[in-house]
Amino acid sequence: MQYLLALDPGTEKTGAAVLTETGELCRKAVVPTDDLPTVCRRLHDTYAYAVLVLGDGTNSRRVADSLRAFCRERGIEQAVVDERYTTEMGRRRYWRHTQRRGWRRFVPTNWQAPPEPVDDYVAWIIGEIYLGNALPEPLGHDRKDR
């Protein structure tokens, strides 16, 4: 079975998700960006992923540069995908996969911010975009280009 590692790189923290070639989620986590090389090595030792997919947003160029030698050494393909709207998509997915407790059950999710980072959910979506199972989708708040 082939695996891929999808990353939502940020300045302080990075979302990471390992998916199968069919898009099934194997593992996801939010890790400190400074620990990313170590995390990528450990995940490769476990899953032997063939592709590393990065979202093209914040800090992606720096993260791609820092992982280039590792990818070349292990024969891992690097890819970059459009991550527009993926944070909003990640928030929606978080609420679909997380049971709301207490007062959160009574307030609509679109009026709430998730109580924890959703970067791992965003990485999962970035992996699905790479596989063609999802598209960056406008979420009802299209901005007019001026």
Side-chain angles (χ1 to χ4, degrees):
M1 179 172 289
Q2 292 274 335
Y3 297 97
L4 70 86
L5 174 62
L7 300 176
D8 175 33
T11 307
E12 300 290 322
K13 61 190 180 326
T14 294
V18 177
L19 286 77
T20 66
E21 60 195 357
T22 60
E24 181 182 338
L25 179 69
C26 299
R27 186 173 181 176
K28 65 181 180 59
V30 177
V31 299
T33 300
D34 292 340
D35 295 348
L36 204 49
T38 303
V39 170
C40 288
R41 286 185 198 312
R42 286 185 184 149
L43 288 172
H44 191 265
D45 291 344
T46 303
Y47 294 100
Y49 53 87
V51 181
L52 179 97
V53 183
L54 293 158
D56 65 355
T58 307
N59 213 23
S60 67
R61 193 171 291 158
R62 187 178 78 99
V63 168
D65 290 345
S66 73
L67 295 174
R68 188 164 286 119
F70 164 72
C71 288
R72 198 176 354 212
E73 166 191 316
R74 303 232 181 158
I76 300 167
E77 174 190 342
Q78 271 189 317
V80 177
V81 300
D82 179 6
E83 69 167 281
R84 280 180 293 167
Y85 306 113
T86 55
T87 300
E88 292 91 342
M89 293 167 68
R91 287 182 186 136
R92 284 186 176 184
R93 186 166 293 182
Y94 171 86
W95 290 120
R96 280 197 309 264
H97 288 88
T98 306
Q99 184 176 359
R100 294 183 289 156
R101 300 184 190 285
W103 64 267
R104 291 189 180 278
R105 294 177 305 175
F106 304 109
V107 178
T109 57
N110 58 343
W111 291 2
Q112 300 181 53
E116 59 190 303
V118 296
D119 303 79
D120 50 348
Y121 288 92
V122 174
W124 182 6
I125 292 166
I126 287 170
E128 289 180 335
I129 291 169
Y130 173 80
L131 293 170
N133 298 345
L135 295 172
E137 57 187 59
L139 300 169
H141 55 73
D142 289 339
R143 296 183 188 107
K144 302 268 186 204
D145 290 331
R146 297 177 187 209

